[in-house]
Amino acid sequence: MPLAEWLQYEFTQDDPMKTMTRERMQTQTLTDHGLGIEIRGVDLGSDLPASVAQALRDLWHEHAVLVVREQRLDPAAFLRAAQIFGDILPQQLGKFSLPDYPLVGTISSRDLPTRDGKLHVRGENYHTDHSNFREPPMGTMLHAIELPSRGGDTQFVDVRLAYDELPEAMKARIATLRSTHVYESSRSPRKMAVLSPQERAEAAASSQPIVIVHPVSGRAALYLNTGRMEGIEGLPDDEAYALINALYQHATQPCYEYRHRWQPGDFVLWDNRSVMHQANADFDPQEFRYLYRLMLKGAPLRGLA
């Protein structure tokens, strides 16, 4: 797919960007439909001027997936970089966190089970993170520390555009519908991390709109997570799950996708209110894949009505 022309953000002469970008940030859109933006010339571990931080937030809200190349962030710097975009959400599962930095989660191939010579990863179908929370995380970010020689891509689909392109009759049908999101749906296509009986008893559940409105951009988007959606409120199960599956199949078409092929040092932030994502375990299980992970605190989701 051809890439859009290079864009350029210029900053004023009194902007104190001396060691980073020399008052310049280069950006490149990653798809023809506007999902994903690549950024070069910014050091997220440095002290960013307010104008640069605001430009990064604006690009994230517009393009939903922010890819900042060639970063070298230790855990403390990763935490500082995350706070450009919002407040950090504590990790749900401490066993996947750094002992010295418990706010920083890890994604390690060494934590994954192997079946028939293939790794099985959490998140191996399209979803949005922690949708069962009353205030789901607004963003999730990963920083690539060590990567396999091939594979391990992360795929994203634009659920804003997917909503825009629904037939008007379908938009009207789903405008006020809601679904209860639980830790693991009775019809989940993937297995969630195993919880202790106490953790499962304490796991959040919440009612979420099928269509949400982004608090910054104002764009409507589908809000789907087949791993957590326990039907649709007010509909018989057969009708509810048929509708969920139809919306999911529509939203995950290749025309809405950006597929991220990881490079060392990548910092990737996505907006859980604008995209779904999925992981891929198509790499050699003998090779090591290791990333830092953080989420940003969110707010209750707003529907159309």
Side-chain angles (χ1 to χ4, degrees):
M1 179 177 293
L3 294 175
E5 294 181 358
W6 282 96
L7 304 174
Q8 185 170 287
Y9 276 75
E10 297 277 359
F11 301 98
T12 60
Q13 290 298 317
D14 55 357
D15 215 355
M17 291 181 67
K18 301 302 181 186
T19 60
M20 287 185 353
T21 67
R22 298 181 183 175
E23 304 168 11
R24 180 174 298 175
M25 179 170 66
Q26 292 178 316
T27 71
Q28 184 184 27
T29 52
L30 292 168
T31 63
D32 287 345
H33 54 277
L35 177 62
I37 188 86
E38 179 184 84
I39 297 173
R40 296 182 185 271
V42 172
D43 177 5
L44 295 176
S46 67
D47 203 6
L48 292 179
S51 57
V52 178
Q54 186 60 55
L56 291 170
R57 289 190 290 270
D58 290 344
L59 288 167
W60 177 46
H61 291 142
E62 180 180 356
H63 295 281
V65 180
L66 194 75
V67 177
V68 188
R69 301 288 192 186
E70 300 172 343
Q71 302 300 294
R72 295 189 179 188
L73 305 174
D74 62 18
F78 187 45
L79 286 164
R80 290 195 303 272
Q83 290 171 313
I84 297 168
F85 303 96
D87 296 326
I88 295 167
L89 181 71
Q91 295 294 320
Q92 183 184 28
L93 299 174
K95 63 183 177 180
F96 300 123
S97 299
L98 294 176
D100 294 337
Y101 292 90
L103 286 175
V104 178
T106 61
I107 294 179
S108 172
S109 57
R110 293 173 184 166
D111 292 331
L112 302 177
T114 303
R115 299 182 194 130
D116 300 322
K118 183 180 183 295
L119 289 170
H120 284 247
V121 299
R122 305 188 308 274
E124 207 170 3
N125 76 318
Y126 278 112
H127 64 284
T128 185
D129 286 330
H130 294 347
S131 62
N132 58 311
F133 285 16
R134 190 180 72 83
E135 300 178 348
M138 67 175 178
T140 303
M141 69 204 76
L142 299 176
H143 180 40
I145 305 302
E146 191 162 344
L147 298 171
S149 56
R150 60 168 300 278
D153 298 350
T154 303
Q155 293 168 265
F156 302 91
V157 285
D158 190 335
V159 288
R160 304 165 303 179
L161 184 58
Y163 173 79
D164 291 345
E165 295 188 349
L166 283 172
E168 292 303 317
M170 179 61 80
K171 289 181 181 178
R173 181 184 179 191
I174 65 176
T176 60
L177 295 181
R178 303 179 69 90
S179 175
T180 298
H181 291 238
V182 298
Y183 179 73
E184 184 174 352
S185 167
S186 60
R187 301 197 189 185
S188 176
R190 63 190 176 100
K191 294 299 294 181
M192 304 296 179
V194 176
L195 300 182
S196 69
Q198 181 177 350
E199 288 172 329
R200 185 168 281 276
E202 295 172 352
S206 63
S207 173
Q208 306 290 13
I210 299 281
V211 183
I212 63 172
V213 177
H214 196 284
V216 177
S217 71
R219 290 189 67 179
L222 293 172
Y223 194 72
L224 304 170
N225 189 345
T226 54
R228 301 197 193 274
M229 296 173 77
E230 197 65 28
I232 295 175
E233 295 167 17
L235 293 185
D237 280 352
D238 288 349
E239 182 182 354
Y241 286 106
L243 179 56
I244 290 169
N245 289 334
L247 293 171
Y248 180 86
Q249 292 301 319
H250 167 74
T252 56
Q253 294 178 84
C255 59
Y256 303 129
E257 181 185 310
Y258 163 61
R259 186 178 185 113
H260 184 70
R261 293 175 171 83
W262 288 91
Q263 298 177 19
D266 278 356
F267 172 100
V268 177
L269 166 66
W270 63 89
D271 192 327
N272 285 307
R273 303 159 298 186
S274 299
V275 300
M276 291 191 290
H277 66 281
Q278 73 173 1
N280 287 278
D282 57 345
F283 56 93
D284 186 343
Q286 301 305 312
E287 294 189 277
F288 189 37
R289 185 177 186 270
Y290 186 73
L291 303 94
Y292 294 154
R293 180 182 191 244
L294 284 170
M295 294 185 184
L296 300 174
K297 289 181 180 178
L301 299 173
R302 180 167 64 90
L304 289 174

